[in-house]
Amino acid sequence: MRQIPVRDFFKTPEKSFFKISPDGKYVSYLKPFKDKQNLFIQSLADGKEEMVTSFDDYPVRDYFWTYNNQLVFSQDIIALDQFKLYALDINTHQLHNLITQDKVRVRLLSRSRKQPDIITISLNKRNPANFDVYRLNLKTGEMKLYIANPGNIVDWFSDDDGNIRLAKASDGVDNTILYRTTDDAPFKPIIKTNFKNSVDPIAFTGKGNTFYALSNVNRDKSALVEIDAATGTEKKVIYATDKADVLEVGYSRRNHVLEYVSWEDAKPHKQYLDTSAGKIYADLKRQLQGSVIRFADRDSAGKKFVISTYTDRSPGSNYLYESETGRLTQLSDNNNGINPNELCAMQPVSFKASDGLTINGYLTLPQGGNKTNLPIVVMPHDGPWNRNRWGYSAEVQFLANRGYAVFQVNYRGSTGYGKAFFSAGFKQVGGKIQTDIQDGVKWLINQKIADPKRIAMFGGGFGGFSALYGVSFHPELYNCAIVQYGLINFFTFFKDAPPYAKPFLQMNYEMVGNPETDAIQLRAISPVFHADKIKAPLLIFQGEKDPRANISELNQFVRELRKRNVPVTYILKANERKFFRSEHNRMEMYAQIEKFLDNNLKVKP
């Protein structure tokens, strides 16, 4: 097995984040310029490429097209904790700075075909804890308050004209969907649920005051339903499956048509609800055999589409698809340095936890004849209310290429498997969630897949907590641990939550633990209080500007470990948040991981 260079796995893609202009004349994408992502456009008429931004300090982050062919994009000025929003006129190449605000978050809510110069955004400028709704004029830069948040609204939903008609309120435990008929009418509550249930609006149907939503009320698995906005009554179920939660809905606002639903059990699935969309998908499936196909963007006429693909062994490619002719044109490879034949299959697996609950996950074995007694890297996901999914992971493939089997566990509480499995994880952080992970490792040992003397844990966020918990309370199982932006203290994690996360604290208290009433439990599981239990070598990565990290506490934790002669390699990077966006920093991180695992698991591929 050829050892693929670190750079080939983790380099910044040559082109990424493709979109198409509403008039169908251009594709846009991000491309590195002086090691920073910048915006480029390519004419579909003649193939000519233009660089339309040239930032060399901070990269372009999210961006989108308006209906009158302007590009709106953001920058995160990490050193100043500042957010910038720009508009770029494609015809004149004039750049307008729309917003420069310190310590804010901005989210696009809607664009309007009727008023293409106006976008609707939510912004926590007035109060860091509350997201108000504003109308922003892209030509003049004028920003008008549209709706002031009364203090409990956590999400807003618009109709097809960009008018806010639905809102979701939460006190952290109970959620309320509110509806108003016009801008002048008051919001009235129509649906009330608690945090164990969910109703997530998708779009208005275009027929009366009804809307589509994903709901698990009165059922275990989330389904696509139609709801009467006047009463909150569920009118009918559009699509449901007993295999998994419906996760995504494809909806054409232009035609008011539901196109598809997707869900994921062991692997991703799509069901087409519209005949013409189904024909397009069937044609793409024929041309792109074996790949998972995703619709990334489309023009206003619905005739040109940006398509992305992937498999478990390929980061995939991006294509332009023209539905009238069936023509498929490749725009880029996500990573042309990767040969799928050199990579490894991601196999769905399941096992019984010690209390009998079935736990699912994925096992990626290195290439070669030997499938037993392998060194294992256990990768618990962040969350805990998240999940691992089948598909391409550069981290997983990098580790498998180095000779490690990679084990990913969707422990109880993971999403996508229904309400009962999700709820089974409540108040089980440091309990059955961690037991599920250990049971999975023991299952690998019993299956003779794992070498019990060569097992490592590697995770970010809650996955980092799980790694530290593993080496603290199950030192007999793990040789070492790698931690990225790890959660080390539940008390400070809750106390230091940014203002905009405060509405969700009560829910976290119910699902994880309350620092006042569950203090004994939270102290018993928080790694910061158990440095004396850790003996295994640690490799810790942290971005200094991560808003959820308490850097001084982490520094003290590392000092305490070193005082106890625990071998700790600690890498703190300035001007990085949770994820290392600098390519140089990423390369250094994975080179360190390679060296660390080689030293501690004694494996030579």
Side-chain angles (χ1 to χ4, degrees):
M1 179 173 60
R2 180 178 78 95
Q3 187 162 307
I4 301 167
V6 170
R7 176 173 176 76
D8 285 1
F9 283 109
F10 300 107
K11 65 185 177 184
T12 303
E14 183 185 345
K15 297 177 183 179
S16 61
F17 205 15
F18 281 82
K19 292 183 181 291
I20 190 166
S21 61
D23 62 9
K25 292 181 178 179
Y26 301 97
V27 290
S28 55
Y29 44 89
L30 297 182
K31 181 176 173 179
F33 168 72
K34 294 186 177 179
D35 195 35
K36 298 294 183 288
Q37 294 282 62
N38 275 273
L39 261 172
F40 288 70
I41 61 171
Q42 182 180 352
S43 166
L44 294 179
D46 59 15
K48 182 184 175 185
E49 179 186 75
E50 282 188 89
M51 182 170 71
V52 293
T53 67
S54 54
F55 297 107
D56 58 8
D57 51 358
Y58 288 94
V60 171
R61 293 288 300 274
D62 296 332
Y63 81 92
F64 59 89
W65 287 90
T66 66
Y67 285 113
N68 60 348
N69 268 26
Q70 290 196 75
L71 281 165
V72 179
F73 64 90
S74 64
Q75 270 188 311
D76 179 10
I77 312 301
I78 295 175
L80 303 176
D81 199 5
Q82 189 178 78
F83 177 91
K84 289 188 174 185
L85 190 72
Y86 296 90
L88 177 77
D89 189 300
I90 291 302
N91 296 318
T92 65
H93 283 203
Q94 282 191 312
L95 191 65
H96 302 285
N97 187 343
L98 300 170
I99 297 175
T100 299
Q101 292 281 332
D102 295 340
K103 298 180 180 178
V104 299
R105 296 288 180 97
V106 180
R107 187 165 76 90
L108 172 72
L109 295 177
S110 67
R111 306 168 295 166
S112 171
R113 285 185 173 85
K114 290 183 177 179
Q115 294 180 290
D117 289 327
I118 306 294
I119 62 171
T120 306
I121 60 173
S122 63
L123 173 66
N124 60 340
K125 177 178 75 132
R126 180 180 61 89
N127 182 332
N130 296 324
F131 285 82
D132 300 316
V133 185
Y134 293 85
R135 290 270 170 79
L136 177 60
N137 188 310
L138 301 176
K139 281 193 171 177
T140 65
E142 182 184 25
M143 187 164 65
K144 287 184 178 179
L145 182 66
Y146 174 29
I147 308 174
N149 193 328
N152 63 342
I153 304 296
V154 296
D155 218 344
W156 307 94
F157 305 92
S158 69
D159 63 14
D160 289 345
D161 294 325
N163 302 308
I164 301 297
R165 291 289 174 263
L166 292 169
K168 180 184 283 190
S170 178
D171 63 6
V173 176
D174 295 318
N175 298 320
T176 304
I177 301 290
L178 304 109
Y179 170 67
R180 66 178 185 178
T181 52
T182 67
D183 279 2
D184 297 323
F187 280 103
K188 293 183 177 179
I190 57 169
I191 301 171
K192 290 190 176 182
T193 63
N194 67 14
F195 64 94
K196 296 179 182 178
N197 297 290
S198 64
V199 177
D200 296 313
I202 301 297
F204 280 88
T205 66
K207 300 171 187 174
N209 294 324
T210 58
F211 64 93
Y212 299 119
L214 292 178
S215 170
N216 66 1
V217 175
N218 299 321
R219 59 178 64 87
D220 183 57
K221 307 289 193 299
S222 287
L224 174 61
V225 301
E226 185 178 318
I227 294 175
D228 184 337
T231 63
T233 305
E234 186 179 298
K235 293 184 71 176
K236 61 180 174 180
V237 176
I238 309 291
Y239 189 84
T241 172
D242 60 1
K243 294 182 175 67
D245 293 323
V246 175
L247 296 175
E248 183 191 359
V249 178
Y251 176 73
S252 169
R253 286 184 180 270
R254 178 175 174 269
N255 300 320
H256 301 291
V257 170
L258 287 167
E259 295 181 333
Y260 66 85
V261 292
S262 70
W263 75 96
E264 189 161 338
D265 43 23
K267 291 186 177 181
H269 306 273
K270 268 190 174 73
Q271 176 68 42
Y272 276 80
L273 308 175
D274 173 66
T275 304
S276 59
K279 286 179 180 176
I280 289 172
Y281 181 68
D283 186 35
L284 285 166
K285 203 171 179 182
R286 178 184 59 79
Q287 296 190 62
L288 298 166
Q289 290 183 24
S291 293
V292 177
I293 297 165
R294 182 176 162 269
F295 289 83
D297 201 14
R298 69 181 70 188
D299 66 357
S300 291
K303 294 179 180 179
K304 294 178 182 177
F305 299 81
V306 172
I307 305 297
S308 63
T309 64
Y310 68 88
T311 72
D312 56 338
R313 297 194 295 175
S314 169
S317 302
N318 300 284
Y319 299 88
L320 176 71
Y321 177 74
E322 298 168 77
S323 60
E324 288 186 327
T325 62
R327 184 182 176 196
L328 189 68
T329 306
Q330 185 167 340
L331 298 170
S332 78
D333 281 323
N334 287 323
N335 188 340
N336 55 16
I338 292 295
N339 177 359
N341 294 326
E342 293 186 292
L343 301 187
C344 307
M346 188 179 188
Q347 305 167 21
V349 294
S350 63
F351 60 91
K352 292 286 187 184
S354 48
D355 64 355
L357 187 65
T358 298
I359 306 296
N360 295 284
Y362 300 95
L363 179 64
T364 303
L365 299 177
Q367 286 196 4
N370 181 28
K371 304 299 180 189
T372 60
N373 208 37
L374 294 166
I376 303 285
V377 178
V378 182
M379 291 184 69
H381 62 72
D382 194 1
W385 326 114
N386 206 325
R387 67 164 290 177
N388 294 301
R389 293 185 175 187
W390 186 91
Y392 180 79
S393 164
E395 281 186 334
V396 169
Q397 293 297 339
F398 163 65
L399 293 170
N401 180 256
R402 294 309 190 257
Y404 306 102
V406 183
F407 185 47
Q408 299 168 280
V409 182
N410 282 332
Y411 44 75
R412 70 192 69 203
S414 298
T415 53
Y417 296 97
K419 187 162 52 180
F421 190 81
F422 176 65
S423 303
F426 294 173
K427 293 289 182 80
Q428 294 302 321
V429 169
K432 290 183 178 179
I433 285 177
Q434 268 53 56
T435 302
D436 288 345
I437 298 170
Q438 320 317 332
D439 287 345
V441 173
K442 291 172 183 174
W443 172 77
L444 285 178
I445 293 170
N446 291 336
Q447 296 289 311
K448 310 296 184 186
I449 296 168
D451 179 346
K453 296 180 179 179
R454 294 189 295 169
I455 301 175
M457 279 267 259
F458 174 16
F462 183 78
F465 157 77
S466 294
L468 290 169
Y469 183 96
V471 294
S472 298
F473 296 99
H474 296 277
E476 76 286 355
L477 280 181
Y478 303 106
N479 294 65
C480 58
I482 302 166
V483 178
Q484 297 168 318
Y485 54 95
L487 197 171
I488 63 169
N489 185 345
F490 284 96
F491 294 101
T492 52
F493 182 77
F494 291 143
K495 181 175 71 69
D496 297 342
Y500 54 81
K502 298 291 185 186
F504 304 101
L505 275 182
Q506 197 62 44
M507 179 178 68
N508 277 298
Y509 294 165
E510 295 287 333
M511 295 165 74
V512 179
N514 187 311
E516 294 182 8
T517 57
D518 300 306
I520 294 174
Q521 167 68 4
L522 293 180
R523 186 179 180 88
I525 64 174
S526 293
V528 74
F529 302 114
H530 301 286
D532 61 314
K533 294 182 176 65
I534 298 175
K535 303 291 188 290
L538 298 178
L539 177 57
I540 299 174
F541 298 97
Q542 180 63 55
E544 199 170 24
K545 299 294 185 178
D546 179 354
R548 296 311 307 267
N550 186 318
I551 301 300
S552 61
E553 183 175 59
L554 178 57
N555 291 342
Q556 178 58 37
F557 179 56
V558 171
R559 282 195 292 270
E560 183 65 25
L561 290 166
R562 285 174 172 164
K563 192 169 76 175
R564 296 177 179 276
N565 297 317
V566 178
V568 182
T569 303
Y570 175 40
I571 297 171
L572 180 68
K573 289 294 184 183
N575 270 10
E576 292 281 16
R577 295 201 187 276
K578 191 159 75 167
F579 303 107
F580 287 6
R581 299 199 178 274
S582 160
E583 186 176 270
H584 172 80
N585 290 344
R586 273 202 315 279
M587 297 304 168
E588 181 186 340
M589 176 168 67
Y590 289 106
Q592 288 276 359
I593 289 171
E594 178 176 22
K595 179 181 174 184
F596 178 80
L597 289 173
D598 189 44
N599 287 339
N600 290 289
L601 295 191
K602 305 286 192 299
V603 60
K604 303 290 182 185

